[in-house]
Amino acid sequence: MPSNPVSARPVSTYVSGRRTRLYSILGLSAALIAVVALATSVGSVKIPPPTTFRILLDGLPFVDIAPTWPGAIATVVLDIRLPRVILAGLVGAALATAGATYQGLFRNPLADPYLIGVAQGASLGAIVGFLLPVSSPNPVLGFGIIPLLAFVGALLATAAVYALARVGKTLPVTTLILAGVALGALLGSIVSYLIISSGEVMHGIIFWLMGSFSLSQWSEIGIVLPYVAVGTGVIIVFARLLNVMQLDEEQAQQLGVNVERLKLVLLAAATLITAASVSFVGTIGFVGIIIPHAVRLIWGADHRFLLPLAVLTGAIFMILTDLVARTVLAPTEIPIGVITAICGAPFFLYLLRRRKKVIF
Amino acid sequence: MIKLEMQGVTLGYNRHPVLEDISLRASPGELVGLIGPNGSGKSTVIKALSHVISPVSGRILIGGRDIKSTPRRELACQVGVVPQMPLLPSTFTAFEIVLMGRNPHLGLFQSEGPRDWAIAREAMEKTGTTPLANRRVNELSGGEIQCLMIARVLVQETKAILLDEPTANLDIGRQVEILDLIRRLCTEKKLSVLAAVHDLNLAAQYCDRLLLINERRIHAEGTPAEVITDRIIKEVYGAENCVYTHPVNGLPTVILSAARHKTSKEKA
């Protein structure tokens, strides 16, 4: 067998590969900050990026910059645009992380965050919210009844799939996927029926289903952030075990992984961050399946790097697509789900063709 | 040093018994061969000893401790497994796969460091897999993957090793190389080794003791000379008069003849 000099030094090649990915994480973090500044500058009122940047810095604790801008500008940046940008980033990060987790856990490249019923459950919950004669937003909750019901619907649907798929003390992955697809189809048809019989709220429902960040507020970030931060943190802690799970379950057990407990923890974490995200912004597609694949194509399959890189790439991608969605046809907003696929699919197909190696 | 033991163990899938009332042990420094026809349950024994399946009845002891009460990570620090024809994720490099052997030694918040990398590099050198290190595993042959699995189990640094057909995909040169390595480690590091072996000649050459399983039970047990005899081989495999003596080391050797070439010994 021809051995090349690089292969003769397995450790140094491996370590330099790790270093490259570490620098990529740092580079993407810087890019994320730049994208936040850019996205808060663009809108119906044009604000120069340097000014936006100073307003954002001034908004940070312990930073005080003498204002050279009118107060109204600061309000636009801090109370209208910034929450929208941050929520988009959070949701993008959450969906990309959940997608990477499901793909890894199920060892299935077609897995996305909605594979086991989250989206259909959330949609059904949201539609029930639209149809209920309750005023929105609810003064007690501080936000509408729709996100609450969507969240409950998502969790109930996933719990049902989980209970249906359980065989004795184990949770076979194929059974889980099949139960998810079947229950998803059932809920999906109920959703379709409710949509056509929903009358005057039909437009609202369809707009919700396609996803939008147009109603973003700081209070929503306060609710979504804890779920996404804790859930993503838990998943990243288990990243090394998720690598071992890429072998079959038997080998993972023989390498010391408590496979059933790992499945339970990761499913719960990924489901919670997905449910928290879609409850407020609707079931945005494409991000959860494509971002993890793009990251894997560029940086490899080690989940200890794949997951943080997916968080950053998902956040940047979602902020940029939301920027396109609200500016291209301004003042009309395009549903975000339309933009994610239009912008993302060609880029992904380009990656797919450029790399000739096996991707999953 | 730890001893592997099964005491009156019945194993089965969905209450359908594959093996009944099996008792066996492998002691430190001992290489025990598990032989038997296809489907006799050799792999099932290995799954039970690594706690992938639980016994229907009986006790499995690893170093004197019941396997049921041993946490999985601790068990994986004591018992390593070389699987038969494993499925490996195509996107990982050979080095990454070998490094996964360190998993049981790392806590949840730990990651492999220079010491673990050095252990992996050394294991790859021992198994002749260093040139493969940065190749993706989907580019490797069955034999190369088999060698990687041996490297991974060395990286796991366990006191006991279970091997399921470790030489199934190897050419004869590699078979001898890998079994010599396992034999040497077993003796030098006082490992308890249990290997399911399909090839009776390799089993006779390398194992201290053989366990022949057939029809849910241990059919014969003892040194290769005690187990591989004309009578026992005929009882279990139906092949007649095929055991000879190795011309150099005197161990039993199975030599088959096609019916059209039967000689006087076989006709006798």
Side-chain angles (χ1 to χ4, degrees), chain A:
Chain A
M1 169 179 317
S3 73
N4 61 59
V6 178
S7 295
R9 294 194 301 275
V11 174
S12 57
T13 310
Y14 174 74
V15 170
S16 78
R18 284 172 62 102
R19 202 178 299 125
T20 308
R21 287 175 284 182
L22 209 57
Y23 290 151
S24 302
I25 291 177
L26 294 176
L28 281 178
S29 305
L32 178 60
I33 293 170
V35 165
V36 168
L38 170 75
T40 40
S41 301
V42 180
S44 52
V45 184
K46 287 205 174 51
I47 306 165
T51 308
T52 324
F53 204 69
R54 285 206 296 275
I55 295 171
L56 292 176
L57 278 180
D58 189 42
L60 291 176
F62 313 117
V63 182
D64 205 10
I65 297 175
T68 55
W69 53 82
I73 295 282
T75 307
V76 168
V77 170
L78 292 177
D79 289 340
I80 297 174
R81 288 187 194 160
L82 190 59
R84 177 168 185 156
V85 167
I86 289 180
L87 190 64
L90 271 178
V91 168
L95 292 179
T97 307
T101 308
Y102 283 132
Q103 285 168 8
L105 205 52
F106 298 155
R107 295 185 295 281
N108 187 329
L110 293 176
D112 78 350
Y114 306 144
L115 188 69
I116 53 170
V118 176
Q120 291 87 352
S123 304
L124 190 56
I127 291 172
V128 170
F130 275 104
L131 297 175
L132 281 180
V134 179
S135 66
S136 183
N138 187 306
V140 184
L141 297 170
F143 58 93
I145 188 91
I146 290 164
L148 180 69
L149 287 174
F151 187 71
V152 171
L155 294 192
L156 281 181
T158 327
V161 168
Y162 181 84
L164 287 168
R166 233 175 139 68
V167 178
K169 282 183 190 167
T170 64
L171 186 68
V173 163
T174 40
T175 321
L176 189 68
I177 294 175
L178 289 174
V181 169
L183 191 78
L186 174 67
L187 296 181
S189 56
I190 298 174
V191 164
S192 302
Y193 173 76
L194 289 178
I195 290 173
I196 58 153
S197 53
S198 58
E200 74 268 27
V201 291
M202 188 193 279
H203 184 262
I205 291 174
I206 289 174
F207 205 81
W208 187 91
L209 289 178
M210 286 198 282
S212 170
F213 292 103
S214 58
L215 302 171
S216 307
Q217 293 164 10
W218 281 112
S219 60
E220 298 182 347
I221 291 169
I223 296 162
V224 176
L225 179 66
Y227 284 103
V228 174
V230 173
T232 307
V234 165
I235 292 169
I236 289 176
V237 164
F238 284 93
R240 195 189 75 241
L241 300 186
L242 199 52
N243 283 345
V244 181
M245 273 289 278
Q246 301 314 294
L247 309 165
D248 52 51
E249 288 185 15
E250 194 176 310
Q251 288 181 68
Q253 289 179 329
Q254 289 164 343
L255 288 170
V257 178
N258 188 336
V259 167
E260 294 306 326
R261 196 190 59 190
L262 182 68
K263 280 194 265 191
L264 188 60
V265 169
L266 291 181
L267 278 181
T271 301
L272 275 178
I273 63 176
T274 309
S277 301
V278 301
S279 300
F280 283 98
V281 300
T283 54
I284 299 168
F286 194 76
V287 180
I289 187 163
I290 290 306
I291 293 293
H293 280 306
V295 171
R296 201 179 284 111
L297 268 172
I298 299 171
W299 288 287
D302 186 337
H303 287 79
R304 287 173 290 187
F305 297 100
L306 172 60
L307 291 166
L309 288 164
V311 166
L312 293 167
T313 314
I316 292 171
F317 179 77
M318 193 63 103
I319 292 171
L320 289 179
T321 46
D322 180 52
L323 181 61
V324 173
R326 66 187 159 92
T327 51
V328 167
L329 292 182
T332 307
E333 288 216 4
I334 307 168
I336 189 96
V338 176
I339 305 294
T340 50
I342 286 181
C343 298
F347 174 66
F348 180 72
L349 291 172
Y350 160 74
L351 280 181
L352 198 61
R353 290 303 304 166
R354 201 172 59 110
R355 306 268 168 150
K356 296 277 190 258
K357 56 192 175 190
V358 177
I359 69 157
F360 197 85

